[in-house]
Amino acid sequence: MAAFAPLHQFWGEIPAFLFAFMTVTLLKPSALAILSLSFGEYTILPILNGLGTCENWKKNSKDYEFGHKLLAIVCALFVATINIYSAKLSARVQIVFTVAKLIACALVIGIGLYNLSIGEFGSLPNSFDMSENTSYSSVALAFYSGLWSYDGWNNLNYLTEELIDPNRNLPLAIFIGIPLVTILYTFMNISYFTVLSKVELMTKEPVGIRLGDRMLGTLSFIIPVLVALSVYGTANGSQYTAGRISYVAARDGHLVDVLSYVHIKRLTPSVAILLNVDVNSYCLHFFQ
């Protein structure tokens, strides 16, 4: 629990308990629920478009919501199964899906660079026009949304016990990862603005699917497939760290002892992982 260790030493055990309790019961399960729903949406829309039934399903919102959430539950259960089965397998899965994430980023950025090269700037010249809404709450919401995008920077801190040479590799991963993600996300947003308007970017339909439909024609399914793989990889990483947080917090006496139990053969925090999935299912019941 390196994230609150300084607080623990200075303020005592109460901040440590509050951090662990909120992370285990709210932050990690809700993050997994959001990621699972994103996976479901990027998976179901290409399928329905391919079958030619997308609009009919959307009109019947209950059927669409059921299919959407069913895929989200399947994603969460599959992630949990892999993490319970083997920590090494989960790490290898993470590498594979990180590659898919980078391919998706490169494809979107390539589309943007192509548009810029032929003089198609779209809504990019007006993308930073803040005249419509300059309230403090809007700026705060923008910063909060940015924190979600870059949340992965602190996940590695929860795995210091499992890292090889953490004194070297942890800072190295952070110093390489954060600038790389910043560059990729910046260029991806530029690419989106070269194709889509600000109104289209703010709609509920995933922007990746809109961009693919607009630019790739019959190959538009590539982007949602890659994004779904990317989201799955993010969910896998979130689940991996969620289990470790519950395990260490219980081991240190901040949560019930049963959460510190590990599988007798697999040596994975199976009880903590199952707790995260259970609370995630509860969150999915209320999320839209």
Side-chain angles (χ1 to χ4, degrees), residues 11-39:
W11 296 105
E13 296 187 355
I14 293 179
F17 165 75
L18 292 175
F19 173 84
F21 182 79
M22 292 300 296
T23 301
V24 171
T25 61
L26 180 62
L27 297 180
K28 283 298 182 180
S30 61
L32 181 60
I34 294 170
L35 291 167
S36 300
L37 286 171
S38 297
F39 173 87

Side-chain angles (χ1 to χ4, degrees), residues 156-233:
L156 205 57
N157 297 327
Y158 304 134
L159 307 176
T160 50
E161 292 184 359
E162 301 181 41
L163 283 178
I164 299 174
D165 192 7
N167 291 330
R168 173 186 177 274
N169 291 328
L170 179 61
L172 191 63
I174 292 175
F175 292 148
I176 294 175
I178 293 180
L180 178 62
V181 172
T182 303
I183 293 170
L184 289 175
Y185 280 14
T186 300
F187 278 99
M188 285 182 68
N189 279 281
I190 292 174
S191 298
Y192 287 138
F193 278 115
T194 64
V195 179
L196 306 174
S197 66
K198 288 194 290 185
V199 175
E200 290 176 314
L201 287 169
M202 291 186 290
T203 57
K204 289 186 177 181
E205 186 173 345
V207 293
I209 292 178
R210 281 183 175 270
L211 182 139
D213 291 340
R214 192 77 55 84
M215 297 297 299
L216 298 179
T218 57
L219 297 177
S220 60
F221 69 91
I222 294 176
I223 287 185
V225 168
L226 289 174
V227 173
L229 295 176
S230 170
V231 172
Y232 177 86

